[in-house]
Amino acid sequence: MTIDEYKQLLAKRLNPQRYKHSLCVADEALRLAEKYGGDKDKCYLAGLLHDITKNAPKDEHLQLFRDFGIILSSVEANAQKLWHAMSGSLYVRHKLGINDDEIITAIRYHTTARAGMTLTDKILYLADFTSADRDYDDVDVMRRLVDISMDEALKYALSYSIVDLVNKGKPIHPDTLEAYNEICL
Ligand code: DGI
Ligand code: FE
Ligand code: FE
């Protein structure tokens, strides 16, 4: 499929705001790839497709998990916001036929992060925080940091997410904690 065809599919699957977010994350991932020597085409495509199942009904996520043998942990089962990263990577691999592990893995871990992130994983994770459409309290700090050091930006983003989850009384995925611990060592 061409980039234009992917955009047409996204426009059908996502609400207008989420579609705009996807275009902004793709642009930001491309910018970070240029700055930090990542693969520009892969980062752009991962950014474009990363939230492809974000607006999918519950059944579609569950069907993808069933079809492709994914068993949810108790944290995952109880945090539906984590589902689109898992179902999105399955959709991109099995429905769109994209077999590039760099792209698939970046989408898979774009919400939780993980220990041992690749450059593409980091670029997508951070682009999701610093894309032009984002507007949260510390977005200016994150945008400044991401242009200085990816690892400093990663540490800030993970701390921000963990504190936010704790304040809301939500469970923290082990992958998020492992990413945070690794970056603190
Ligand atoms: O899909 P986006 O909105 O662009 O961003 P995202 O994929 O980073 O999703 C952010 C949401 O995911 C946010 O509501 C917090 C939630 N989240 C991220 N990490 C964890 C988490 N929720 C739980 N319960 N545990 C986590 O570790
Ligand atoms: Fe997401
Ligand atoms: Fe996103």
Side-chain angles (χ1 to χ4, degrees), residues 18-36:
R18 186 59 53 179
Y19 176 64
K20 181 174 173 244
H21 167 71
S22 303
L23 298 181
C24 290
V25 173
D27 286 344
E28 177 68 353
L30 175 62
R31 188 185 76 84
L32 292 176
E34 276 169 352
K35 187 176 173 68
Y36 288 108

Side-chain angles (χ1 to χ4, degrees), residues 18 21-22 25 47 50-51 54 84 110 128 134:
R18 186 59 53 179
H21 167 71
S22 303
V25 173
H50 79 287
D51 276 339
K54 183 84 179 183
H84 76 286
H110 87 265
D128 205 9
R134 285 300 201 202

Side-chain angles (χ1 to χ4, degrees), residues 109 112-119 121-122 125 150-152 154-156 158-159 162 173-185:
Y109 294 102
T112 56
R114 62 166 175 155
M117 289 170 96
T118 65
L119 179 58
D121 292 349
K122 291 181 184 181
Y125 183 79
M150 294 247 282
D151 282 347
E152 286 304 316
L154 201 54
K155 187 171 177 181
Y156 193 91
L158 285 164
S159 309
I162 289 169
H173 195 284
D175 288 338
T176 307
L177 291 173
E178 284 174 19
Y180 176 77
N181 288 344
E182 182 186 63
I183 210 126
C184 286
L185 295 177

